[in-house]
Amino acid sequence: MSLMITEECIACDACRDECPNGAIEESDPIYIIDPDVCTECVGHYDEPACISVCPVECIVADPDNIESVEELKLKYEQLNSDL
């Protein structure tokens, strides 16, 4: 499943630069994660990089965008097929 940022976000910008897919965007008042681009870092890292750098632990699994590891791998491959 993709991740989402809760309202506890303090808009510190730590997560945006860590996302290898560019799925995190600045919004008002909190940042958002594009579920079509988030692979939970599958294909890049063992764990989601954004979660590891978030100082307020506001990044959680998005219950509206449930995906298996296989689906996340496929999404990663599709996103990186042009590279």
Side-chain angles (χ1 to χ4, degrees):
M1 78 179 59
S2 87
L3 302 172
M4 63 181 272
I5 298 175
T6 65
E7 292 190 17
E8 286 79 24
C9 176
I10 59 172
C12 69
D13 204 41
C15 61
R16 187 170 56 160
D17 290 337
E18 292 299 317
C19 182
N21 295 321
I24 302 174
E25 301 173 13
E26 187 174 355
S27 189
D28 187 30
I30 63 173
Y31 282 54
I32 57 171
I33 297 176
D34 183 343
D36 294 331
V37 183
C38 177
T39 63
E40 290 188 44
C41 291
V42 167
H44 294 282
Y45 308 115
D46 292 334
E47 296 182 9
C50 59
I51 290 176
S52 67
V53 299
C54 181
V56 293
E57 300 178 4
C58 68
I59 302 172
V60 298
D62 184 349
D64 294 330
N65 291 293
I66 298 172
E67 296 170 293
S68 68
V69 172
E70 291 79 23
E71 291 170 314
L72 293 169
K73 285 179 184 177
L74 179 61
K75 187 191 307 185
Y76 164 79
E77 291 170 4
Q78 291 172 338
L79 289 169
N80 291 285
S81 66
D82 295 335
L83 299 178

